[in-house]
Amino acid sequence: MQIIDGKLISAQVKAELQIEVDKIKAEGGKIPHLAAVLIGDNGASETYVSSKIKSCEQIGFKSTLIRRDSSSTEEEVLEIIEDLNNDPDIDGFIVQLPLPDHINVDRVIEAIDPKKDVDGFHPINIGRMAKGLPAYVSATPYGVLELIKRYKIETAGKHCVVVGRSQIVGLPMSILMQRNAYPGNCTVTLVHSRTQNLKEICLQADIIVAALGKPEFITADMVKDGAVVIDVGLTRVVDESKKSGFALKGDVKFDEVAPKTSFITPVPGGVGLMTVAALMYNTLLASRKEIYG
């Protein structure tokens, strides 16, 4: 069993990006600029956005944080997006999810200029990705691919089971793992909460990508010996033994599953860190106009 170290790989990616930024500076070019829109006071969202802004500082990107309280109307958020779409200095931007209940998430995402959609959530980017055209790949799936690649995990001809069908992780992950590329060339099964015989299907998997959002859902009796297990889940659960009062749990029951695997990602310290690194990479692509020209 080998632990896939997201902290190590994300640091490598950021170091590579920093070298690129240093070259841009030396040549007098435009420094990549990422903006983040944060609506409301969701604690987890605050943490995620601050880590993205901090990563920008580490790499040498410019960053802008736009905060609004949870009473902001949908129209006000759409106005912010229009301003960012039209700002030539902003290369890419994200609207941190979740949004307050009164705001239509789909309408917000579709308002983002696909050329600046570095989260890869816009239907145009998802469609281009599905067709194998240049696109911003959603940051979490891209981070998973990078972990697989850097650990040289075989994927061709393998059976990959993706657990969870969200548009942010599960759906794009299933598309990416079956494409004619590396990582890819898998036979992919996408399972979800309505799937019958889910345990039996998981037992057939050479690679499991768990992205269901249910803590410790994947147990040892669902994983065959030697499988690769990628845990995308991240949920706060009450833990009175911790000073904070909570612990972070993935979708995989790590202690009992890990001994059966060939490779496994921990939580925390796995995929989550790669999501931020992938977002930084997409921002560099946006600044170079490599996706849309």
Side-chain angles (χ1 to χ4, degrees):
M1 183 269 291
Q2 184 171 358
I3 290 179
I4 298 173
D5 189 342
K7 185 176 182 181
L8 172 67
I9 303 302
S10 65
Q12 289 177 2
V13 173
K14 288 178 182 178
E16 292 162 8
L17 291 171
Q18 190 170 356
I19 290 170
E20 293 300 315
V21 173
D22 289 344
K23 286 180 184 176
I24 292 168
K25 287 180 178 177
E27 295 167 0
K30 181 186 178 304
I31 302 302
H33 189 171
L34 174 70
V37 180
L38 179 61
I39 309 297
D41 54 2
N42 181 291
S45 292
E46 292 270 1
T47 301
Y48 296 148
V49 169
S50 65
S51 70
K52 291 164 185 175
I53 298 299
K54 184 178 179 182
S55 292
C56 285
E57 293 171 0
Q58 292 171 341
I59 294 166
F61 285 5
K62 288 175 66 177
S63 64
T64 297
L65 174 58
I66 300 168
R67 286 178 175 272
R68 295 291 185 273
D69 61 42
S70 57
S71 65
S72 299
T73 67
E74 185 174 299
E75 292 305 319
E76 287 171 337
V77 175
L78 292 172
E79 285 174 11
I80 293 169
I81 291 171
E82 185 175 3
D83 289 342
L84 293 171
N85 283 340
N86 294 324
D87 186 339
D89 194 54
I90 301 292
D91 297 300
F93 67 94
I94 64 164
V95 178
Q96 184 64 44
L97 303 180
L99 291 170
D101 291 340
H102 65 278
I103 297 175
N104 186 311
V105 175
D106 288 333
R107 191 174 176 210
V108 166
I109 289 173
E110 289 181 24
I112 298 170
D113 183 344
K115 298 182 182 69
K116 295 189 176 188
D117 169 42
V118 288
D119 251 341
F121 293 164
H122 194 285
I124 288 178
N125 277 312
I126 293 173
R128 288 173 66 96
M129 178 200 69
K131 285 181 63 67
L133 297 172
Y136 297 115
V137 176
S138 301
T140 299
Y142 186 89
V144 172
L145 294 182
E146 199 64 22
L147 289 174
I148 290 171
K149 187 189 302 182
R150 298 205 182 210
Y151 274 85
K152 298 179 171 61
I153 295 169
E154 267 189 65
T155 60
K158 303 297 184 182
H159 184 190
C160 175
V161 173
V162 180
V163 185
R165 56 181 168 181
S166 75
Q167 294 182 27
I168 293 173
V169 182
L171 178 61
M173 202 73 242
S174 67
I175 294 168
L176 291 164
M177 290 301 283
Q178 58 78 40
R179 65 184 179 158
N180 185 16
Y182 176 76
N185 281 311
C186 289
T187 298
V188 178
T189 303
L190 179 64
V191 299
H192 46 78
S193 59
R194 299 292 181 87
T195 301
Q196 296 183 9
N197 303 321
L198 191 149
K199 174 182 172 182
E200 287 77 6
I201 295 170
C202 287
L203 279 167
Q204 299 170 24
D206 302 301
I207 302 168
I208 294 176
V209 180
L212 197 63
K214 292 188 176 181
E216 300 188 328
F217 179 84
I218 303 294
T219 51
D221 61 346
M222 300 171 70
V223 179
K224 75 177 183 180
D225 289 340
V228 175
V229 176
I230 309 291
D231 190 351
V232 181
L234 185 66
T235 305
R236 288 185 179 189
V237 298
V238 175
D239 186 342
E240 294 180 359
S241 69
K242 303 283 186 182
K243 186 177 180 181
S244 62
F246 66 87
L248 296 174
K249 297 288 185 181
D251 286 357
V252 177
K253 199 163 187 177
F254 184 87
D255 290 344
E256 69 173 49
V257 171
K260 298 186 73 175
T261 65
S262 54
F263 292 89
I264 188 169
T265 59
V267 175
V271 174
L273 294 166
M274 288 302 298
T275 298
V276 178
L279 177 66
M280 300 297 114
Y281 178 74
N282 277 349
T283 303
L284 180 64
L285 292 179
S287 72
R288 290 176 167 173
K289 298 179 169 51
E290 287 192 19
I291 301 299
Y292 288 94

